[in-house]
Amino acid sequence: MAGPILQAKDLVRTYEVRQGMFGRPSPVRAVDGISLTIMPGETLGIVGESGSGKSTLGRMLLGIDPAQAGEIAFDGQAMPKLGTPQWRALRAKMQLVYQDPLAALDRRLTISAQIAEPLAIHGLVPLEHRQTRVAELMSAVGLRPDQADRYPHELSGGQRQRAVIARALASRPKLLVCDEPVSALDVSIQAQVVNMLRDLQEENHIAMVFISHDLKVVRNIADRVAVMYLGRIVEEASSDVIFQSPLHPYTRALVSSVPVPGRPLKGRTILQGEPPNPANRPSGCAFHPRCPMATDICRTTAPPLRAISADRTAACHLVADSAEPVAA
Ligand code: ATP
Ligand code: SF4
């Protein structure tokens, strides 16, 4: 069996953030000791409230935001330093799609010119075959041939995001990091773009990190889900396990907030309060001020992320090792 396409160990990223206009800068641990493994062709969903560190983690996995501590290996090789020729060469194999396609595209270039760009930059397709490859990519993402000479502002939001995805696929990446790729699109278009992404990813056997605050979308696309709270993973398991039997109280509240046809609103767990200021991390389990199950130990001791079963890790004092049978 092939090894992981990406392996991250104990990643840390701290920003100095000023509290108020005249406040002194204080450190915010946006990513606080995260480890994860992504297999070829697998989709890992990353969920959590705003400010939990999802986007920072996504950028770190591509080496765009360098880790201050920890290690990343891409396809078995240590991630080269940002901006080096080795990193640029690797960049063709790992692509980022983010929320705002208009910001990702160059307003002065036609769609076909932008899709052709990576083919030229990475010397992937000889000039005489480039237009054919651009046409293939446009067709793969559902853009019409007559849209090739359009400029980004002449397309709809959904079409622009399709163009961004075509450009990301041009270099035949092994890993795609999608950071809220559909949250700026009309709800009616979101499902089309997500389904298209899933089909293309499966056809091309691309691993994907899919970052979203929208659990419905993540449920639709992810094989596995990591739940983040204040820079740490608090639970990770297969998508079915996370959505059908969440164990961590934070995961339970997030999953419970997803409307399910036929499930009464009564009985849902409501997530209390707002996420704490990351510059002032609560003691012990960072979730304790909002957790309905918190006990004394939760206020003083941070629960480690540990294996609960063969297919699940969780960080909570109250989740027993015996919550599920552990495979030998
Ligand atoms: P959102 O869904 O709102 O984008 P997120 O889960 O992606 O949130 P991040 O954007 O990664 O979270 O932010 C995590 C923390 O790091 C936040 O407290 C944020 O303010 C801080 N942060 C992120 N980027 C920077 C930066 N460039 N400079 C300073 N602080 C930052
Ligand atoms: Fe709640 Fe305690 Fe578990 Fe944290 S460790 S999630 S506060 S029960």
Side-chain angles (χ1 to χ4, degrees):
M1 194 175 130
I5 191 67
L6 192 122
Q7 215 160 12
K9 199 156 172 272
D10 300 329
L11 297 184
V12 173
R13 180 69 169 98
T14 304
Y15 296 109
E16 289 292 321
V17 178
R18 201 177 285 281
Q19 306 296 312
M21 209 174 348
F22 303 108
R24 290 175 49 173
S26 41
V28 165
R29 281 211 161 196
V31 167
D32 191 10
I34 285 189
S35 301
L36 45 83
T37 299
I38 302 162
M39 299 304 287
E42 179 185 44
T43 297
L44 174 68
I46 298 186
V47 300
E49 290 164 290
S50 181
S52 55
K54 305 181 299 295
S55 297
T56 305
L57 176 63
R59 292 194 304 272
M60 290 174 82
L61 295 178
L62 300 179
I64 297 171
D65 200 340
Q68 290 154 328
E71 294 159 15
I72 303 178
F74 181 82
D75 215 1
Q77 306 283 318
M79 178 70 70
K81 268 210 170 112
L82 175 69
T84 58
Q86 294 86 337
W87 180 79
R88 279 196 290 274
L90 211 56
R91 198 64 181 82
K93 296 285 154 217
M94 33 182 213
Q95 293 288 327
L96 176 64
V97 174
Y98 54 90
Q99 187 173 354
D100 182 359
L102 203 51
L105 293 167
D106 186 333
R107 289 160 197 250
R108 297 157 307 176
L109 290 180
T110 63
I111 293 305
S112 60
Q114 302 199 52
I115 298 173
E117 231 172 21
L119 303 175
I121 291 173
H122 299 293
L124 298 172
V125 177
L127 187 58
E128 64 271 25
H129 299 308
R130 238 171 250 165
Q131 282 319 312
T132 311
R133 177 76 180 128
V134 169
E136 275 170 18
L137 286 160
M138 286 188 60
S139 156
V141 298
L143 288 173
R144 297 189 312 268
D146 65 283
Q147 290 167 327
D149 294 330
R150 303 253 177 101
Y151 289 87
H153 66 272
E154 296 176 312
L155 298 180
S156 69
Q159 289 163 347
R160 285 197 280 264
Q161 196 60 305
R162 286 171 191 269
V164 169
I165 293 167
R167 192 177 60 179
L169 295 178
S171 55
R172 301 191 191 280
K174 293 185 174 182
L175 175 70
L176 210 52
V177 173
C178 297
D179 188 353
E180 303 277 5
V182 295
S183 48
L185 306 181
D186 281 357
V187 174
S188 57
I189 307 292
Q190 288 186 358
Q192 289 174 18
V193 175
V194 168
N195 291 341
M196 179 202 75
L197 251 180
R198 194 184 46 206
D199 292 348
L200 288 169
Q201 180 235 348
E202 278 173 15
E203 271 164 37
N204 297 288
H205 201 60
I206 303 169
M208 182 154 69
V209 174
F210 193 95
I211 297 169
S212 180
H213 67 278
D214 187 338
L215 271 77
K216 284 195 305 304
V217 175
V218 171
R219 183 175 201 165
N220 192 6
I221 199 164
D223 301 309
R224 219 150 39 87
V225 177
V227 181
M228 282 185 73
Y229 192 75
L230 275 194
R232 295 184 187 167
I233 291 177
V234 295
E235 185 163 7
E236 185 182 338
S238 70
S239 184
D240 287 348
V241 166
I242 287 285
F243 286 101
Q244 282 165 22
S245 57
L247 279 182
H248 193 285
Y250 180 59
T251 317
R252 281 199 216 169
L254 286 184
V255 169
S256 176
S257 69
V258 180
V260 175
R263 186 173 69 186
L265 290 176
K266 244 175 96 187
R268 277 210 221 159
T269 315
I270 305 293
L271 194 50
Q272 302 294 335
E274 295 293 320
N277 178 354
N280 194 11
R281 193 185 174 84
S283 60
C285 173
F287 186 55
H288 87 253
R290 305 170 75 190
C291 181
M293 297 165 75
T295 60
D296 285 347
I297 187 176
C298 303
R299 292 177 249 285
T300 56
T301 309
L305 184 66
R306 62 200 165 88
I308 305 299
S309 70
D311 178 36
R312 181 187 333 239
T313 54
C316 172
H317 293 302
L318 295 195
V319 172
D321 288 343
S322 56
E324 287 171 342
V326 180

